[in-house]
Amino acid sequence: MRISDILRVKGDEVVTVTPDADVTALLAVLAEHKIGAVVVSADGRRVDGIVSERDVVRALAARGVAVLRERVTEIWTEQVRSVTRDALVSDVERLMTERRFRHVPVVEQGALHGVVSIGDVVKSRIDELEEERSSLAGYITGERT
Ligand code: AMP
């Protein structure tokens, strides 16, 4: 399975915020779309950074509610790790586990094509294992499923 298989099902809609958005606006976007992270992008195409609910929690713990009026660029991650559509889901799973992040933008030729979350990766891996299990069961019982 490749990242393109996930995007085909999930679609390529990407939620972004601009670098001048404040943390209060970010929280509204996370809540509205029921997501845990957004790409920060000035033009909606290029990835300038990423900011997740964890960044908000850490900043709140460090500086209190004044953080809500800060720009997202005060709390974001600028060095974003992205993947291309042809990346293997198993490689992205390993990347997320090793680097301890749950979101990876899909970028090609400098343009954002989607975001894959750990939830998308786990779902795809479960579907893959279920397919394997079902064809092995069919092989053993002599029935094709
Ligand atoms: P997450 O687990 O995705 O909520 O993010 C945990 C931390 O990693 C936060 O500080 C994020 O800003 C950062 N982060 C999330 N996704 C990425 C990514 N693809 N590349 C680099 N940092 C990331």
Side-chain angles (χ1 to χ4, degrees):
M1 288 266 203
R2 293 184 187 268
I3 290 300
S4 54
D5 298 314
I6 293 180
L7 292 185
R8 200 169 304 119
V9 176
K10 166 178 180 166
D12 56 3
E13 194 217 343
V14 197
V15 180
T16 61
V17 293
T18 54
D20 61 355
D22 67 14
V23 174
T24 302
L26 163 71
L27 290 177
V29 170
L30 295 179
E32 182 191 343
H33 295 276
K34 300 186 174 68
I35 53 178
V38 285
V39 167
V40 181
S41 173
D43 62 6
R45 264 174 68 80
R46 197 188 59 222
V47 175
D48 297 317
I50 193 163
V51 62
S52 98
E53 55 201 1
R54 288 205 178 156
D55 299 313
V56 179
V57 169
R58 271 191 223 122
L60 276 172
R63 302 195 288 283
V65 292
V67 161
L68 298 176
R69 289 190 303 275
E70 293 178 9
R71 289 191 173 189
V72 291
T73 49
E74 296 293 321
I75 67 167
W76 68 348
T77 301
E78 248 185 298
Q79 297 301 315
V80 180
R81 186 61 212 264
S82 63
V83 295
T84 54
R85 274 190 278 218
D86 65 354
L88 287 171
V89 174
S90 53
D91 287 342
V92 176
E93 184 181 31
R94 196 167 308 114
L95 175 73
M96 287 173 153
T97 308
E98 283 170 8
R99 301 289 190 91
R100 294 174 175 273
F101 48 60
R102 297 164 296 172
H103 301 87
V104 178
V106 183
V107 175
E108 268 171 18
Q109 275 126 38
L112 183 58
H113 284 281
V115 171
V116 170
S117 75
I118 191 87
D120 300 324
V121 168
V122 169
K123 182 183 178 310
S124 150
R125 297 289 276 160
I126 289 171
D127 290 350
E128 199 173 24
L129 288 172
E130 176 52 31
E131 247 172 58
E132 263 177 45
R133 190 208 60 78
S134 157
S135 58
L136 277 174
Y139 179 73
I140 290 163
T141 61
E143 290 166 22
R144 292 288 303 155
T145 52

